[in-house]
Amino acid sequence: MSDHPQPHPFQPDIEDSPFTRYQVMAESVIELLTEKGVFSADDMRRTLERIDAITPAQGSRAVARAWVDEAFRARLLDNVNAATAELGIDAGPIPIRAVENTADVHNVIVCTLCSCYPRMLLGLPPDWYKSRAYRSSVVREPRAVLEAFGTHIPDGVEVRVHDSTAELRYMVIPMRPAGTTDLDEAGLAELVSRDAMIGTAVI
Amino acid sequence: MSQNFSIGDRVRVRAAYPPGHVRTPYYTRGKEGVVMGLAAVMANAETLAYGADGKPDIPIYRVSFPQTQLWPDYAGDPSDTAVVDIYEHWLVAAGGSKT
């Protein structure tokens, strides 16, 4: 043991790395639009707070309703934005498509080109969803990625990866677990995790 | 607007490599799949990204590819698929016959 303890390793602060080109562009556009009066700094703050406040609980409510109400399930599969509006949820202007897990098909969502995600329904995506590691491997070896999440999909069940490359966002309707007949809709919603609606988990 | 493809049509993604804001993933270029349905009819993101109006709107299809077609050494179940949203101008008819 040394008499002189080693200094704690220096951990850089976020500001220690230079702004990237895209950060500079984003900041510049915000400043210009604010200066020109297109929106105010307060509008910007309110919008960010509204987006930050969205949680996966909105999606969970929709899934739980689909589990207990067959007609709602059909409407959700037909048009997520319209169906969730029935529950008082504003899913935003971008069309969201629900894909349903069955005994034969397990769905999982990715955006290989960037990080498209149903934010208006599920909130901000987890960091790993935006990582190059997830985006490149889940479409290449989805079963290995699912195993890394502790999710085993048996052979014979089709793993269907949805790459949301264009104008749609996707969400997964997981299968309702067995032994939940005594749960009410609110209790069911608590079972529906964010990752189950991405498809990296099953319930 | 009218659509050139319908559900069940076999299609091939053009093996083209233009620069710019292209929404067709590399791993699908030159690959064959089956149209699962119409995803949307939307402005063309490739021109919209550069200040144009993106008109005319273009059909976007959900195209299903067998993983074994995308990756010849695919190690998972042969029934596994990837479903990718692809703009119509990236698709040509494949195989000639409808399934």
Side-chain angles (χ1 to χ4, degrees), chain B residues 69-89:
Chain B
Q69 153 84 211
L70 296 175
W71 321 102
D73 62 345
Y74 185 71
D77 194 280
S79 69
D80 291 353
T81 57
V83 178
V84 187
D85 299 339
I86 298 186
Y87 287 86
E88 184 175 89
H89 63 286

Side-chain angles (χ1 to χ4, degrees), chain A residues 48-64:
Chain A
L48 288 173
E49 284 179 357
R50 196 177 71 239
I51 293 170
D52 284 351
I54 301 171
T55 76
Q58 295 196 144
S60 306
R61 278 174 59 210
V63 169

Side-chain angles (χ1 to χ4, degrees), chain A residues 85-162:
Chain A
E86 297 174 26
L87 306 180
I89 296 169
D90 175 9
I94 300 176
I96 301 172
R97 174 178 288 275
V99 291
E100 186 179 37
N101 287 347
T102 67
D104 302 317
V105 178
H106 177 84
N107 296 281
V108 59
I109 306 306
V110 66
C111 173
T112 60
L113 297 179
C114 44
S115 57
C116 298
Y117 186 78
R119 291 171 185 236
M120 293 299 284
L121 201 56
L122 301 188
L124 296 177
D127 285 347
W128 56 257
Y129 183 88
K130 299 183 283 183
S131 72
R132 192 167 291 162
Y134 175 75
R135 288 158 46 212
S136 58
S137 22
V138 78
V139 75
R140 177 74 179 82
E141 42 178 10
R143 286 173 185 268
V145 172
L146 293 176
E147 292 284 351
F149 279 91
T151 301
H152 177 72
I153 305 299
D155 282 344
V157 175
E158 173 188 340
V159 171
R160 189 177 290 171
V161 180
H162 294 268

Side-chain angles (χ1 to χ4, degrees), chain A residues 36-74:
Chain A
K36 287 175 179 292
V38 177
F39 54 74
S40 69
D42 206 40
D43 294 332
M44 183 78 184
R45 178 189 59 76
R46 268 200 298 270
T47 302
L48 288 173
E49 284 179 357
R50 196 177 71 239
I51 293 170
D52 284 351
I54 301 171
T55 76
Q58 295 196 144
S60 306
R61 278 174 59 210
V63 169
R65 175 65 61 90
W67 283 348
V68 300
D69 181 341
E70 179 58 32
F72 180 82
R73 174 183 154 273

